[in-house]
Each structure stands twice: as C-alpha cells, then as structure tokens.
Amino acid sequence: MSLGTSGASLARRRASPARRRGRLLLAACVVAALIVAANLPAVKSLLPADLWREVPPVVALHPIVAEKMKTLKAESEALGIRIAITDGFRSEAEQDALYRKGRSAPGDIVTNAKGGQSYHNYGLAIDFAIRTKQGKVLWDTAYDGNRNGKSDWMEVVGIAKRLGFSWGGDWESFPDYPHLQMDFGLTIGELQRGHRPTEDLRLAEEWARQAGSEA
C-alpha cells in the first residue's frame, strides 16, 4: 500500500513540470492574443488611448477645421454672403454652462450635450450665422441678402458640405442649424477615450476632401 502511494506521488511530481509548462504556454498565448487584439483598430478604439500614448488636452480648433473655416468664409464672401463664426472650440466647463441654460440657469435650452459630449470640446466643430452689410448678425435661415433667390444660409451649408463639414440641421432629433462639424470618422465615445484625428495633416486633409466629395 505504501509502495503504491509512493508511486502515485512520484508520477504526480513528474507530471507537475509538464503541467506548469502547459499553463505558462497557455498564459503566454493569452497575453499574445490580447496584445494583438489591442492593436486591431476595431478593438483599439474601445480602449483608452492613454494606455499606449500621452493624450494632450484639446485647447483649439483642429488645424484642418480652422483652415476649412477660413475657406468657408472666403467662398461665402465671394457669393456676397458674409458669415460670423459664433463659436469654435469650447471647453468642457463652457459646455456644461451652456447645457445648464433652460435647465438650472435662465434662458432657452440650446444643447443636449454636457461637457465632453460635443464635438466643439474636441476642436472639431464651429457655429455660424449670417452677418448683414450693416453688421447685424442673423440666424434667419430664409434670409437672402445677396438677392439671388436663394437662402444665404443654405448656400453657406452647401459650401460647408463640399469642404467636408457635416451640418447639424440634418440631425433628425434636435436639429442644430448653426452647427458644422468634421468628425474624421470618430464618435464622441472614441473622443472621450482619448482618440484623436490623425496628426498627419495630409491624411486629415484627404479625409475632409473625401467627405466633401460624398456630400
């Protein structure tokens, strides 16, 4: 009986190194799979970007958005339409203050987005209005200041879409008529996790050009 027990114990000891090697191999495979998965674009977009790089705070409009804004103003003016950019980059604190309007602060409700939930907070959106020859700023979407039988507002929207902007007036729920944005294919959730448009301005420009051609 003692001999049988001793033999079984010896067999277990001999098997232990093999089991340990098997477990180590399995763990290594799992780690490798996780590393590969984390680098797949679809998976990577679900993870916080600061896991693999530093995410600097956004403090201004993205360079391509700023450039397209200038082009929008110039092309609108060539049609006899002057526009006023009423908002661009907006901090999360400013967004929260705007969200409180019509809720816990006086005024009308103008947004459903809290801080961090707007493309303005990531430098990817602008708001515009029409400026008359007298300098008055209008949010009248039917105004025809250049007297060509077309809405100045919609002429500006047409130019903006060609430049790669999407228009908040196309939103089915809570349309935002002054709002123009370039999301570069990023959702708000991805932006909140620290993902940002490409730092390669050539690629960002190509994205904007393609978005404009599809508008």
Side-chain angles (χ1 to χ4, degrees):
M1 184 72 177
S2 173
L3 183 61
T5 303
S6 177
S9 178
L10 179 61
R12 283 197 298 272
R13 286 198 298 272
R14 287 176 175 172
S16 291
R19 281 199 299 269
R20 283 198 293 270
R21 283 195 296 271
R23 290 169 185 163
L24 287 173
L25 180 59
L26 177 60
C29 289
V30 170
V31 170
L34 289 173
I35 291 172
V36 171
N39 283 282
L40 293 174
V43 176
K44 205 169 184 178
S45 66
L46 299 175
L47 301 173
D50 57 10
L51 288 176
W52 58 86
R53 64 176 174 82
E54 183 180 356
V55 180
V58 180
V59 295
L61 286 176
H62 185 281
I64 294 298
V65 178
E67 177 191 329
K68 296 299 183 181
M69 177 186 71
K70 292 177 183 177
T71 304
L72 175 66
K73 293 177 72 174
E75 291 196 14
S76 297
E77 194 156 345
L79 294 178
I81 304 170
R82 295 178 62 206
I83 63 173
I85 303 300
T86 58
D87 213 346
F89 167 74
R90 190 187 297 146
S91 70
E92 292 192 18
E94 291 170 329
Q95 186 70 38
D96 283 332
L98 199 62
Y99 179 81
R100 287 194 291 270
K101 283 189 174 182
R103 295 180 174 91
S104 59
D108 297 324
I109 291 177
V110 294
T111 182
N112 282 333
K114 297 179 180 180
Q117 297 176 347
S118 169
Y119 282 97
H120 283 284
N121 306 151
Y122 305 97
L124 302 178
I126 60 174
D127 291 342
F128 80 96
I130 304 296
R131 190 186 298 277
T132 68
K133 292 180 180 179
Q134 295 73 34
K136 186 177 180 181
V137 176
L138 302 176
W139 284 266
D140 183 354
T141 58
Y143 178 73
D144 180 18
N146 60 1
R147 300 291 188 268
N148 66 351
K150 302 176 184 177
S151 155
D152 288 1
W153 197 279
M154 295 311 299
E155 287 189 86
V156 173
V157 168
I159 296 170
K161 287 184 175 183
R162 179 167 50 78
L163 293 174
F165 287 100
S166 58
W167 180 43
D170 288 329
W171 298 344
E172 292 185 6
S173 60
F174 205 88
D176 190 352
Y177 297 102
H179 183 88
L180 301 169
Q181 72 182 40
M182 287 187 179
D183 58 33
F184 295 95
L186 294 170
T187 66
I188 286 294
E190 289 169 338
L191 290 166
Q192 288 174 329
R193 290 191 289 276
H195 297 276
R196 299 290 179 263
T198 177
E199 295 177 2
D200 186 328
L201 295 185
R202 180 182 58 82
L203 293 177
E205 171 65 32
E206 179 58 32
W207 182 92
R209 186 161 45 246
Q210 184 175 347
S213 67
E214 293 175 352

